[in-house]
Amino acid sequence: MSGLLVLAQIVPRNRAGHQTCVQRNGFCPRWIVDNIGNYKEPFLRHVELTVLAVAFGFAIAFALALVAHRRRWLVGPITAVTGILYTLPSLAVFFLLQPITGRGVTTALIALTAYTLLILFRNVTLGLDNVPAEIKDAARGQGFSDRQLLWRVELPLALPEIIAGLRIAATTTVGLATLAFLAGAGGLGEPLFDGGEGINFQSNVVVAGGLCVLLAIALDLLLLGVQRAASPWQRARG
Amino acid sequence: MKTAATLEFRHVRKEYDGAPAPAITDLSFAVGAGEICVLVGPSGSGKTTAMRLANRMLEPTSGDILLDGRSVMARKPADLRREIGYAIQQIGLFPHQTVAGNIGTVPRLLHWDRRRIEDRVFELLDLIGLPAEMARRYPAQLSGGQRQRVGVARALAADPPLLLMDEPFGAIDPINRERLQNEFLRLQARLRKTVVFVTHDIDEAIKMGDRIAILKEGGRLAQYAPPAELLMEPADRFVEDFVGADRALKRLALQRVRDIDLWKAATVRVGEPVEQARAKLAAADLDIMLLVDDAARPVGWLSETALQGERVRAELRSSAEPVVELDDILRDALADLLMAETQYGPVVDGSGAVAGVLSIEALSHALTTEPDDLPSPTELIPGEDAAG
């Protein structure tokens, strides 16, 4: 990180057009308009990294939560392990993984995925635990098998918590994925930190950072929409 | 599938892991097809445990339970439960499903086709007295009483031959509770299901049960008998205490005026020969004559001066009030007599014609003798007006 701080001192140079604004390191709308096309690829990569990491993370955490739902004693160990993964600095993980998986998307995805597990596992487990006992009793008493109980009653009722977990995971992953370029995976971190060459060019930070924020908001709203569409009963009150 | 099945407990024992004593020690009893059997007792008497053994929500430690002569232990629990209606105090409606979705639960598990499920849902909504547009509501949009009705409808959806109900009206306020009890009895009069009904409330037990099983600590059966017998001849001190010191009064709620021996009244009309009236009086159980109109409806009690002549004159000593009906429950009839501060009142049939006289003496006589044939609770439901 100290290397980045040193680089931060260097004034951006060699940029086409609008020298004054760019050289002043100001906020340069014209420069942004001219260069907006350069953000497309990092942005799409950022979306890819985020969506895949959350999707893989969800698949793993969901499976773990279902296993732990039947075998309660597993909740503690799984929480502990995913908790450790959550606390590991992603930068360290990138570098630790490089000898094994090399530089690139795979390395970044593994780190980002690992990071989502705790949030997702905890929320799925919480959602399943919060299903009222009398509802499960009524379901069993009417002849639901364990599998039917899970898929037709427990999971639909746990959906709000599950999606809340996905929303947290998605927004944090959007932020974390800005470091993926350090693992050679690209993403909006590259323009944000100017590819490691120089940081703090304001227009660049504003656009790249703005795209991150927009992506986070878009994913959040998308998931919120899914939740609302999937649980109409939650809005049905008295 | 039959509409009603028999249920028999044979030496059932249930021990919970880690509990010092068995929840149920050795329980045997049989419920006839189409009967409401109420399991009643203080907490810790194992009544809910006993009920939950019937659909294998719990497994007995030993003994057997037969549904229609067949051991429930030989069945797959999920299949067995789909054949047994299940309604609990907390209801446990699925909040993420509409009323229609909730009612259609068991039919869906049984893979009925959609059309048939839909028809059944509307049939049941009608049966429990909810408008058809309620089908699309979610449980959160219903009142407590409506939720309870939906819970009962859900339990009845696949037309199960046995219905298990665990304090189904326990969480409802007293007014709605009585209404739901009456509704259920009215429903039962039509459906004739075998019902196992758990309650801790002896009054509810007496009202709902064809037979009552009083359980004490450790699931021991203190007495298993029809309500009247329980009240007349409590088997032991425990039952006596449990049914309460007012058990004689409770019996009044079990019979209608028509069920007891009424007094014969001397009914006379204006203009009738006094001779004839005096002959009627001699044959009556009462030394006073009741004046009736042309349709035999009571007008009032005649005074002595009405007979001073050749023909009966319309001279009354008091009005006919209170007039009770043959279909009145004894408790209500007694209340009428007490309110009017009188010892007796004319009894009329459905057309309003005098059928006899109910006196406090006749009532107390009825309480001390064993009636041959007590009505089933479904015959004792108050009329719609009283319920609504």
Side-chain angles (χ1 to χ4, degrees):
Chain A
M1 285 302 272
S2 61
L4 284 173
L5 291 174
V6 175
L7 287 169
Q9 312 302 316
I10 302 166
V11 176
R13 57 201 148 76
N14 297 333
R15 294 195 182 276
H18 322 292
Q19 293 293 329
T20 20
C21 176
V22 172
Q23 276 185 334
R24 274 207 324 270
N25 190 12
F27 175 70
C28 321
R30 295 217 44 176
W31 180 88
I32 292 169
V33 171
D34 289 348
N35 288 272
I36 197 77
N38 295 339
Y39 292 96
K40 189 182 166 194
E41 199 202 331
F43 177 74
L44 289 178
R45 172 57 64 82
H46 207 95
V47 173
E48 182 192 346
L49 285 170
T50 305
V51 170
L52 285 179
V54 173
F56 290 148
F58 181 69
I60 296 166
F62 186 71
L64 288 174
L66 293 196
V67 171
H69 189 49
R70 292 284 153 71
R71 297 168 191 80
R72 301 298 305 174
W73 60 272
L74 281 171
V75 173
I78 294 175
T79 308
V81 171
T82 54
I84 291 167
L85 292 176
Y86 185 74
T87 49
L88 285 180
S90 16
L91 269 184
V93 178
F94 292 150
F95 295 127
L96 282 171
L97 282 172
Q98 277 190 25
I100 310 160
T101 53
R103 281 176 64 79
V105 173
T106 314
T107 305
L109 268 182
I110 291 174
L112 293 175
T113 300
Y115 206 69
T116 63
L117 293 179
L118 176 69
I119 298 163
L120 292 170
F121 174 76
R122 213 191 43 191
N123 273 53
V124 177
T125 302
L126 191 76
L128 291 175
D129 287 351
N130 281 349
V131 175
E134 72 267 18
I135 292 174
K136 289 189 272 192
D137 184 76
R140 284 209 192 86
Q142 283 170 100
F144 280 73
S145 64
D146 284 349
R147 176 187 292 252
Q148 287 166 331
L149 176 67
L150 179 69
W151 289 95
R152 300 195 194 177
V153 178
E154 294 181 289
L155 284 172
L157 290 177
L159 198 67
E161 272 106 338
I162 294 174
I163 295 201
L166 280 170
R167 288 170 65 191
I168 302 170
T171 40
T172 40
T173 305
V174 169
L176 262 188
T178 55
L179 296 178
F181 77 98
L182 293 170
L188 286 170
E190 213 151 57
L192 194 61
F193 297 107
D194 230 351
E197 280 174 35
I199 65 170
N200 269 357
F201 175 44
Q202 268 198 16
S203 304
N204 208 2
V205 171
V206 166
V207 179
L211 284 172
C212 281
V213 173
L214 285 179
L215 177 58
I217 292 174
L219 288 174
D220 200 48
L221 288 178
L222 181 74
L223 286 166
L224 186 65
V226 169
Q227 186 197 318
R228 294 198 142 221
S231 43
W233 54 278
Q234 281 227 304
R235 275 164 291 143
R237 290 276 177 262
Chain B
M1 200 165 14
K2 292 168 122 179
T3 51
T6 57
L7 180 70
E8 189 183 350
F9 276 57
R10 282 192 187 161
H11 301 290
V12 173
R13 183 182 180 86
K14 173 65 185 176
E15 292 164 20
Y16 287 111
D17 291 340
I24 291 175
T25 314
D26 179 3
L27 182 61
S28 298
F29 68 96
V31 187
E35 272 184 11
I36 300 180
C37 164
V38 180
L39 303 179
V40 65
S43 50
S45 60
K47 52 193 190 298
T48 296
T49 298
M51 187 205 85
R52 291 170 73 87
L53 288 165
N55 66 347
R56 295 188 64 187
M57 290 295 278
L58 294 171
E59 300 287 323
T61 308
S62 65
D64 203 359
I65 297 163
L66 307 176
L67 179 63
D68 235 358
R70 211 174 142 205
S71 171
V72 298
M73 301 310 291
R75 309 283 311 276
K76 256 180 69 182
D79 290 342
L80 176 73
R81 291 175 198 155
R82 289 169 197 175
E83 259 178 50
I84 298 177
Y86 188 69
I88 53 177
Q89 180 181 350
Q90 310 87 334
I91 317 175
L93 291 183
F94 303 139
H96 61 302
Q97 289 181 358
T98 59
V99 167
N102 270 287
I103 294 178
T105 299
V106 180
R108 271 201 310 283
L109 290 173
L110 294 172
H111 306 293
W112 288 16
D113 67 60
R114 284 184 57 172
R115 185 78 228 164
R116 187 173 165 213
I117 295 175
E118 199 176 303
D119 290 347
R120 182 64 179 155
V121 166
F122 286 112
E123 189 184 338
L124 282 161
L125 279 175
D126 184 51
L127 197 68
I128 58 170
L130 287 185
E133 57 266 27
M134 286 275 181
R136 286 202 308 275
R137 300 254 182 107
Y138 287 98
Q141 296 167 305
L142 305 180
S143 70
Q146 288 169 334
R147 264 177 242 169
Q148 197 56 60
R149 289 183 183 90
V150 172
V152 171
R154 180 172 69 170
L156 287 170
D159 205 15
L162 173 65
L163 200 57
L164 304 180
M165 306 179 91
D166 188 1
E167 308 227 8
F169 312 129
I172 307 282
D173 64 88
I175 292 171
N176 275 303
R177 184 178 199 194
E178 182 161 3
R179 184 181 297 178
L180 285 166
Q181 287 168 342
N182 293 337
E183 271 178 28
F184 183 74
L185 288 174
R186 225 172 277 134
L187 214 59
Q188 168 67 358
R190 285 167 65 182
L191 301 176
R192 293 269 159 226
K193 296 288 171 197
T194 306
V195 180
V196 174
F197 190 109
V198 170
T199 180
H200 63 270
D201 175 356
I202 186 66
D203 292 313
E204 183 168 62
I206 289 167
K207 176 167 186 181
M208 304 301 284
D210 289 302
R211 274 177 169 271
I212 299 174
I214 296 198
L215 298 175
K216 52 183 166 185
E217 190 78 26
R220 272 174 266 262
L221 192 59
Q223 189 167 4
Y224 185 46
E229 193 182 320
L230 214 62
L231 295 170
M232 289 277 293
E233 295 158 21
D236 59 16
R237 190 62 204 269
F238 175 83
V239 177
E240 209 177 307
D241 287 347
F242 196 78
V243 297
D246 61 340
R247 59 193 167 89
L249 290 179
K250 282 178 175 141
R251 280 201 59 208
L252 289 174
L254 291 177
Q255 282 170 279
R256 293 186 185 279
V257 172
R258 65 162 77 253
D259 298 324
I260 68 168
D261 293 327
L262 297 174
W263 282 4
K264 198 165 175 290
T267 53
V268 298
R269 290 182 168 81
V270 174
E272 204 175 312
V274 167
E275 205 74 356
Q276 191 182 330
R278 287 199 191 281
K280 281 181 181 172
L281 189 58
D285 293 316
L286 207 59
D287 60 1
I288 173 171
M289 280 182 281
L290 182 61
L291 185 68
V292 296
D293 64 14
D294 290 339
R297 289 187 295 249
V299 176
W301 300 101
L302 282 180
S303 73
E304 262 307 306
T305 55
L307 299 184
Q308 288 166 357
E310 292 209 349
R311 309 226 160 229
V312 175
R313 289 180 303 186
E315 280 174 36
L316 300 180
R317 62 188 271 180
S318 62
S319 82
E321 292 302 314
V323 177
V324 299
E325 290 178 30
L326 277 175
D327 277 336
D328 282 348
I329 285 172
L330 288 184
R331 187 189 52 199
D332 299 343
L334 174 63
D336 287 346
L337 293 181
L338 294 176
M339 291 292 285
E341 294 180 41
T342 165
Q343 294 286 315
Y344 43 78
V347 177
V348 297
D349 62 18
S351 69
V354 174
V357 168
L358 178 73
S359 66
I360 296 207
E361 212 181 315
L363 265 171
S364 85
H365 178 73
L367 287 180
T368 51
T369 49
E370 177 76 43
D372 321 322
D373 185 28
L374 270 178
S376 154
T378 50
E379 291 160 25
L380 285 166
I381 324 157
E384 297 280 346
D385 53 330

